[in-house]
Short mmCIF file of all heavy atoms in Angstrom, two decimals:
data_model
loop_
_atom_site.label_atom_id
_atom_site.label_comp_id
_atom_site.label_asym_id
_atom_site.label_seq_id
_atom_site.Cartn_x
_atom_site.Cartn_y
_atom_site.Cartn_z
N VAL A 245 -96.22 -51.92 -32.91
CA VAL A 245 -97.02 -51.64 -31.73
C VAL A 245 -96.46 -52.35 -30.53
O VAL A 245 -96.36 -51.82 -29.42
CB VAL A 245 -98.49 -52.05 -31.97
CG1 VAL A 245 -99.29 -51.95 -30.68
CG2 VAL A 245 -99.11 -51.19 -33.04
N LEU A 410 -101.24 -34.99 -26.31
CA LEU A 410 -100.09 -34.27 -26.86
C LEU A 410 -99.95 -32.95 -26.10
O LEU A 410 -100.94 -32.31 -25.78
CB LEU A 410 -100.28 -33.97 -28.35
CG LEU A 410 -100.37 -35.16 -29.31
CD1 LEU A 410 -100.82 -34.68 -30.68
CD2 LEU A 410 -99.03 -35.88 -29.40
N PHE A 426 -89.94 -33.31 -24.52
CA PHE A 426 -91.09 -33.26 -25.42
C PHE A 426 -90.63 -33.59 -26.83
O PHE A 426 -89.69 -32.98 -27.33
CB PHE A 426 -91.74 -31.88 -25.38
CG PHE A 426 -92.18 -31.47 -24.00
CD1 PHE A 426 -91.26 -30.94 -23.09
CD2 PHE A 426 -93.50 -31.64 -23.60
CE1 PHE A 426 -91.65 -30.58 -21.81
CE2 PHE A 426 -93.90 -31.29 -22.32
CZ PHE A 426 -92.98 -30.76 -21.42
N GLN A 466 -104.79 -27.33 -35.87
CA GLN A 466 -105.12 -27.35 -37.30
C GLN A 466 -104.03 -28.03 -38.11
O GLN A 466 -104.31 -28.80 -39.04
CB GLN A 466 -105.37 -25.93 -37.78
CG GLN A 466 -106.59 -25.30 -37.13
CD GLN A 466 -106.80 -23.85 -37.55
OE1 GLN A 466 -107.37 -23.59 -38.60
NE2 GLN A 466 -106.32 -22.92 -36.74
#
Side-chain angles (χ1 to χ4, degrees):
V245 172
L410 296 169
F426 302 81
Q466 295 177 83

